[in-house]
Amino acid sequence: MRSIILAATLTFGSLPAFANQCNIELNGQLQLEDKVLQVQIDHDNQLTITEDKVLYVNNQEIDLSNEQRQWVNQYYNGINEAVPQAANIATDAIALANSAMSEVFEEMLGSDSQVMQDLSDKLNELDQQVQYNFYGDNGNIQIDSDGFEDRVFMGEQWEQEFEQAIEEVVSESIGHVLVALGTQIIFGGGDLEEFEHKMEHFGQRIEHKIEAQATVLEKNAHALCITLAEIDMAENKLQQNIQQLSNLDVLQVKNNTNLM
């Protein structure tokens, strides 16, 4: 049992750090759908950027200088790039959890165990939620910041959903694990020490597997943080250089000193 808990802790305990290592907050509503970016600047003003990088404020097109157009392009392109980056991190984390936990349960309970199917079903549900939140029915990138709790980008709701899925599977599998424990003791001649050694071996192998793949996740999360920091910088430039956007401050990356 300790190896199962270890694997779950390593997998899910580290995910919030990946997603939020640059401490991203959203103030106001940001929506990207059908390649049109809309940002609610404040109660009375809305920014719109089309796929052709035409900027509108309250449905009025804004004439841009070359420098201003550069920041509009960077802002739009950055958000368009960040969405699939975030989606990939989430889906890769789900795949890592599925692989690691399935390996534990398969060796303990066998490949035909219902526990494995339950785990796979629950994590597949999470993956479908990711696809729903980040992609439209037509496959185009989409995002709506209203879906983020407390305005934290990929915040605690991800951790809670991941942990809930694992807790449900582990809780429901206790009976199966106890049967496996009894079977191992009986057919192993009652050698509890040997069984404990086997469990520790499972834990160590899962730990190494998670650590190796988690390194890739962490690199991808760092790349996402850099993208978001660049978006934040572009937003600041828009705020400073376009009068109609003086109140624009939707995205904030607070820990960006080591990102660039």
Side-chain angles (χ1 to χ4, degrees):
M1 288 299 295
R2 184 163 57 187
S3 63
I4 297 176
I5 296 171
L6 172 63
T9 301
L10 285 171
T11 304
F12 294 101
S14 56
L15 291 180
F18 293 159
N20 294 296
Q21 62 176 269
C22 48
N23 194 3
I24 309 129
E25 291 187 2
L26 290 169
N27 298 310
Q29 184 183 13
L30 181 153
Q31 182 177 4
L32 178 64
E33 188 171 0
D34 294 329
K35 300 182 180 180
V36 175
L37 174 63
Q38 293 183 321
V39 178
Q40 195 67 38
I41 302 172
D42 51 39
H43 184 268
D44 299 317
N45 298 292
Q46 183 182 68
L47 171 157
T48 301
I49 304 176
T50 67
E51 182 182 9
D52 297 327
K53 312 304 190 307
V54 179
L55 172 66
Y56 297 87
V57 175
N58 299 332
N59 297 320
Q60 297 293 319
E61 183 176 349
I62 306 299
D63 291 329
L64 301 172
S65 67
N66 289 336
E67 182 181 6
Q68 290 169 337
R69 191 172 301 280
Q70 173 188 343
W71 296 120
V72 169
N73 289 346
Q74 183 171 326
Y75 191 62
Y76 178 95
N77 291 338
I79 293 173
N80 201 52
E81 179 181 347
V83 174
Q85 281 182 300
N88 288 338
I89 290 170
T91 55
D92 287 348
I94 292 170
L96 171 58
N98 200 346
S99 173
M101 296 302 293
S102 293
E103 184 168 332
V104 172
F105 283 118
E106 180 176 357
E107 296 204 36
M108 291 183 64
L109 306 176
S111 59
D112 58 346
S113 169
Q114 184 61 40
V115 173
M116 289 186 58
Q117 186 60 52
D118 292 343
L119 173 66
S120 180
D121 290 344
K122 290 182 183 299
L123 293 178
N124 284 338
E125 288 177 9
L126 287 180
D127 188 63
Q128 290 173 6
Q129 290 178 22
V130 170
Q131 300 305 316
Y132 175 80
N133 287 327
F134 288 100
Y135 296 97
D137 293 336
N138 57 4
N140 287 341
I141 295 168
Q142 71 173 22
I143 191 172
D144 189 339
S145 63
D146 274 350
F148 299 129
E149 292 182 1
D150 300 324
R151 296 305 190 193
V152 179
F153 188 74
M154 289 184 68
E156 291 184 358
Q157 75 274 19
W158 296 99
E159 178 185 6
Q160 292 169 358
E161 290 177 5
F162 283 136
E163 288 182 349
Q164 183 178 354
I166 284 296
E167 287 173 2
E168 288 179 2
V169 172
V170 172
S171 297
E172 293 169 2
S173 68
I174 292 299
H176 297 277
V177 173
L178 290 176
V179 171
L181 173 61
T183 302
Q184 288 286 336
I185 292 175
I186 292 171
F187 289 98
D191 191 342
L192 288 172
E193 184 176 347
E194 180 181 351
F195 182 76
E196 176 67 15
H197 176 73
K198 185 176 182 180
M199 294 299 96
E200 291 297 334
H201 178 65
F202 288 164
Q204 292 169 5
R205 205 169 71 192
I206 295 302
E207 181 178 358
H208 292 323
K209 181 175 181 179
I210 290 176
E211 286 178 346
Q213 296 188 39
T215 299
V216 177
L217 273 179
E218 190 168 11
K219 289 180 180 178
N220 292 340
H222 184 75
L224 172 60
C225 286
I226 291 175
T227 300
L228 292 169
E230 291 173 347
I231 296 170
D232 188 22
M233 181 176 66
E235 183 178 79
N236 291 336
K237 292 294 184 179
L238 292 174
Q239 181 188 45
Q240 296 165 9
N241 292 284
I242 300 178
Q243 181 180 358
Q244 296 90 331
L245 302 182
S246 58
N247 292 329
L248 177 64
D249 191 20
V250 174
L251 182 68
Q252 296 179 355
V253 180
K254 295 185 177 181
N255 297 338
N256 61 358
T257 54
N258 296 320
L259 295 177
M260 299 304 196

